[in-house]
Amino acid sequence: MKHLLSIEALGGAEIEALIDSGIRLKAERGRHAEQPLAGQVWAMIFTKSSTRTRVSFEVGVRELGGDVMFLSSNDMQLGRGEPIKDTARVLGRMVHGAIIRTFAQSDVDEFASYSGIPTINALTDEEHPCQILADLMTVKERLGGWEGRKIAFFGDGDCNVARSWAWAAVRLGFELAIAAPEAFQPRSEFLDRIGRPSNVVVTDDPKVAAGGAAVLYTDTWVSMGKEAEAAERLEVLAPYQINNDLATLAAPSHIVQHCLPAYRGKEISEAILEAHAEAIFQEAENRLHAQKAVLAALVRE
Ligand code: CP
Ligand code: NVA
């Protein structure tokens, strides 16, 4: 694995190996002797806000022996129009790896190809691969695995997190139900790209998606960059909230997951979030462990 640009670019066996490595690194935290990033400096270039991703990568790089440099793209010449490919060729000669959060997936792909250094997608409009690795790790810890289980996603079914879930279902074969109103269902071109597999079901009925699900999953209804559409989104997505009514339809031992940040009373009710807080914050913690697994795999190449 040279980069982590998307779940799409990973194979099923690669995903499973990263999750197993994340679980091992978690168990050995503070005791593992490996320092695979020793002597390295990684750059984090962020165009969008972040709490979890930024902190987990800053801690993760350091725990693996490396150093990290946080760069807000607004403070860089990038923010004044310097091309990505020039920025990439400069940084590629100075730092050992890059972690990028931005809008266009093509910007991260271009950085990876021009910089020559391992590059990680820390969220684009198209995918959030680090999130889904941590989510799968949590499903494995809590439920023993995803095989034979149904995962149900509610809300903006065309957002980065939903798309990465769809690719994970394609690569790993579990059942994924995406419940969204028509305007927020995965685009037809995207469904073509994933090959319209029978294990990925799209429905406008949240009850159908929740039925028998082992995991109820949601994300904010207003992703970063979509703020101008907030009013419309909040109105049309209202029936897709994860609340007690929906949860009663899920499998008896279901878990609730949220990539966070959560907006209570919108995509998730306060009662459900607090009832499942242990699993939701375990999921947030797993960002650190899963990403350490990614960093270690990238420098092993
Ligand atoms: N879930 C997630 O990526 O959180 P941040 O936006 O806080 O990094
Ligand atoms: N879909 C959300 C994820 C936030 C972690 C966004 O892009 O803002």
Side-chain angles (χ1 to χ4, degrees):
M1 191 167 97
K2 183 148 175 42
H3 306 290
L4 177 70
L5 300 176
S6 59
I7 296 292
E8 176 180 4
L10 296 178
E14 260 177 328
I15 296 173
E16 294 192 22
L18 287 170
I19 286 159
D20 289 344
S21 164
I23 290 172
R24 187 179 58 77
L25 286 163
K26 183 176 184 175
E28 294 172 0
R29 189 177 184 204
R31 290 184 288 112
H32 57 81
E34 297 161 57
Q35 296 276 279
L37 269 58
Q40 298 202 357
V41 178
W42 282 56
M44 297 175 57
I45 307 169
F46 278 42
T47 309
K48 291 174 173 172
S49 306
S50 173
T51 297
R52 279 144 288 270
T53 310
R54 176 176 177 178
V55 174
S56 54
F57 269 117
E58 292 209 23
V59 172
V61 169
R62 290 190 177 107
E63 287 191 2
L64 295 176
D67 203 349
V68 71
M69 178 188 291
F70 183 82
L71 302 160
S72 160
S73 58
N74 287 335
D75 300 334
M76 300 175 74
Q77 297 293 4
L78 198 56
R80 301 180 68 248
E82 184 169 19
I84 300 272
K85 60 185 178 185
D86 293 355
T87 307
R89 284 179 284 192
V90 172
L91 291 189
R93 288 160 186 263
M94 296 181 182
V95 300
H96 301 87
I99 299 159
I100 303 177
R101 169 170 283 203
T102 192
F103 293 88
Q105 177 73 29
S106 56
D107 286 352
V108 181
D109 295 345
E110 188 178 344
F111 187 97
S113 72
Y114 278 91
S115 67
I117 53 174
T119 302
I120 298 176
N121 173 0
L123 180 149
T124 62
D125 289 345
E126 252 178 63
E127 276 221 37
H128 195 0
C130 297
Q131 180 68 53
I132 269 50
L133 292 173
D135 298 341
L136 289 166
M137 178 174 159
T138 315
V139 170
K140 184 151 189 180
E141 287 177 331
R142 288 248 157 196
L143 302 175
W146 42 80
E147 219 178 291
R149 302 192 190 275
K150 176 181 178 184
I151 295 176
F153 180 98
F154 302 87
D156 178 359
D158 197 40
C159 77
N160 40 19
V161 171
R163 285 176 179 232
S164 288
W165 265 116
W167 279 115
V170 171
R171 297 290 178 250
L172 299 171
F174 57 79
E175 186 184 352
L176 177 71
I178 298 177
E182 210 182 318
F184 294 101
Q185 291 180 356
R187 304 293 94 206
S188 162
E189 313 82 73
F190 177 74
L191 293 173
D192 288 343
R193 212 162 102 216
I194 65 171
R196 297 184 178 270
S198 58
N199 61 318
V200 177
V201 172
V202 179
T203 173
D204 62 3
D205 187 344
K207 294 192 173 83
V208 167
V215 181
L216 301 180
Y217 193 104
T218 193
D219 179 10
T220 178
W221 288 340
V222 186
S223 285
M224 291 177 278
K226 304 289 183 196
E227 291 77 7
E229 301 170 11
E232 178 207 342
R233 286 170 171 260
L234 297 193
E235 191 187 327
V236 39
L237 289 163
Y240 296 84
Q241 180 188 78
I242 300 185
N243 52 32
N244 277 318
D245 290 346
L246 207 62
T248 55
L249 303 169
S253 55
H254 71 271
I255 61 168
V256 174
Q257 297 276 269
H258 192 312
C259 61
L260 303 175
Y263 297 89
R264 291 163 166 82
K266 296 195 168 65
E267 74 275 3
I268 191 163
S269 68
E270 167 82 18
I272 287 284
L273 191 141
E274 292 302 335
H276 293 269
E278 200 51 48
I280 291 170
F281 291 102
Q282 178 179 339
E283 175 191 9
E285 179 194 329
N286 283 342
R287 297 292 307 277
L288 169 65
H289 311 299
Q291 288 159 198
K292 280 170 72 179
V294 169
L295 290 162
L298 290 176
V299 297
R300 255 198 311 270
E301 276 299 301

